[in-house]
Amino acid sequence: MLLAVSGCAAPDAEPVARLEIDEPTLELPFPEWRSLHLTWTPEKEVPRSGPLLVFLHLLNEDGELVRTFDHPLDGEWVPNQPLSYEVRIFQSALGPPLEPGDYTLTAGLYTADGERFPLTVGDNEVSSPRRREYRLATVSVPEVSPDAPGFAFANNWGALETGEDAQILGRRWLEDDGVIRVLNLEVPGSVWMRLRIPAEDGDGSGRTRSGRKLALRDSGQAPTLEVASSCSGAVRILEVPGTHEEVLPVFPQAESPECTLRLSANYRLVDATTLREDVAALEIIAWTPAEL
């Protein structure tokens, strides 16, 4: 996971780009996600030895970091050629809800070695000049509604594990074919999931250090993980290994305000020492009433 480091530089350096956002104010209930449209207009070349990275930080009223939505810059950096893309901010159901209130979303551009670059971000003031961190939007978090959509995990899901940073707050391992029930689904929407499928001999994001071996149910097949929505009929086939971010449409049925997501794999990842079997790790799950 990308983590922005604390760069320190003169605040009066010439900006390398302008960053603009389509919605400078938004609401983020729990456990929901929202898409933001970012537009970068590079104004000069940026000297670097690696890829450009973007940090998005959510700060509370005391200026404390409570969530991150960091990601690689999505596009080619060419002066005077705007590039646009969508990025998600979210309250994952695998983490605790944010306290109700108003938060500040800040942004910055940096490289893996810690260098940050000066920007012009709309007409907003600089949040921290020496850190090159810029105010991007105001995020309002309401009280958690008892009628809000939620998720219930059944059939071979492991216990919730604590995540490693302010972006991946929690993780659940799927140990065989599993089910996620989307509850209190009063209106149509979409569920976004981030699933990590470790490679053989990997540590499985902290689950084991002894390595894993891939065991296929049918040796003639390629390993895949199928994710299907029972209410919309949408199906996603995920290749193994890899990290996948999938959005599936969901909507209430006439007989019940819920939808079922079924995950089925034709493989298992077997721990070489304990012989424990896993399929994948769910790292983010959230819902939105849009983006069908």
Side-chain angles (χ1 to χ4, degrees):
M1 184 55 55
L2 301 175
L3 291 175
V5 297
S6 298
C8 184
D12 56 350
E14 184 178 349
V16 302
R18 171 177 286 275
L19 172 61
E20 297 176 291
I21 187 174
D22 57 346
E23 293 188 34
T25 60
L26 66 152
E27 188 176 76
L28 187 63
F30 178 85
E32 298 193 21
W33 58 276
R34 296 288 185 267
S35 284
L36 298 181
H37 188 81
L38 302 183
T39 299
W40 296 81
T41 304
E43 298 176 350
K44 59 193 300 185
E45 291 289 351
V46 176
R48 64 187 190 275
S49 57
L52 289 171
L53 310 172
V54 178
F55 69 80
L56 293 179
H57 290 172
L58 194 64
L59 310 180
N60 64 18
E61 293 182 349
D62 295 326
E64 298 169 330
L65 177 67
V66 294
R67 296 288 191 275
T68 62
F69 313 104
D70 300 356
H71 58 277
L73 182 76
D74 190 2
E76 185 177 357
W77 187 271
V78 180
N80 302 315
Q81 292 189 16
L83 62 93
S84 298
Y85 59 86
E86 300 282 332
V87 63
R88 297 185 184 98
I89 68 170
F90 54 90
Q91 287 205 68
S92 173
L94 301 182
L98 290 166
E99 292 291 331
D102 289 335
Y103 295 77
T104 299
L105 185 68
T106 63
L109 186 71
Y110 71 107
T111 58
D113 61 6
E115 183 178 6
R116 292 185 177 186
F117 302 98
L119 303 171
T120 300
V121 180
D123 296 324
N124 293 334
E125 63 183 279
V126 176
S127 177
S128 179
R130 297 195 63 82
R131 288 170 51 83
R132 289 175 174 170
E133 182 171 3
Y134 303 87
R135 297 180 186 273
L136 188 63
T138 298
V139 179
S140 176
V141 174
E143 295 274 359
V144 178
S145 170
D147 300 322
F151 303 96
F153 298 86
N155 297 16
N156 305 307
W157 286 97
L160 180 64
E161 300 178 0
T162 302
E164 66 270 13
D165 54 39
Q167 192 150 333
I168 303 299
L169 300 173
R171 180 182 292 109
R172 280 187 183 269
W173 281 92
L174 179 61
E175 298 165 358
D176 205 315
D177 294 351
V179 168
I180 303 173
R181 294 169 56 214
V182 188
L183 310 174
N184 298 332
L185 195 59
E186 299 292 345
V187 297
S190 301
V191 171
W192 167 48
M193 295 186 292
R194 173 180 169 142
L195 288 156
R196 182 187 298 274
I197 307 170
E200 287 186 280
D201 298 322
D203 66 3
S205 300
R207 183 59 173 273
T208 178
R209 296 182 180 178
S210 58
R212 295 167 181 264
K213 295 298 180 183
L214 185 72
L216 283 167
R217 288 179 170 175
D218 185 337
S219 59
Q221 297 178 334
T224 57
L225 174 62
E226 178 182 291
V227 185
S229 168
S230 67
C231 57
S232 68
V235 177
R236 306 286 186 265
I237 305 297
L238 312 185
E239 296 181 354
V240 178
T243 298
H244 303 271
E245 296 192 8
E246 301 295 331
V247 176
L248 285 90
V250 293
F251 45 79
Q253 302 297 285
E255 66 280 5
S256 176
E258 67 176 66
C259 183
T260 299
L261 305 178
R262 299 187 180 276
L263 293 86
S264 305
N266 65 358
Y267 67 91
R268 296 294 180 271
L269 292 163
V270 183
D271 186 292
T273 299
T274 67
L275 301 184
R276 175 144 189 172
E277 298 182 1
D278 288 314
V279 169
L282 179 67
E283 296 186 330
I284 298 170
I285 186 167
W287 176 83
T288 187
E291 310 234 358
L292 289 171

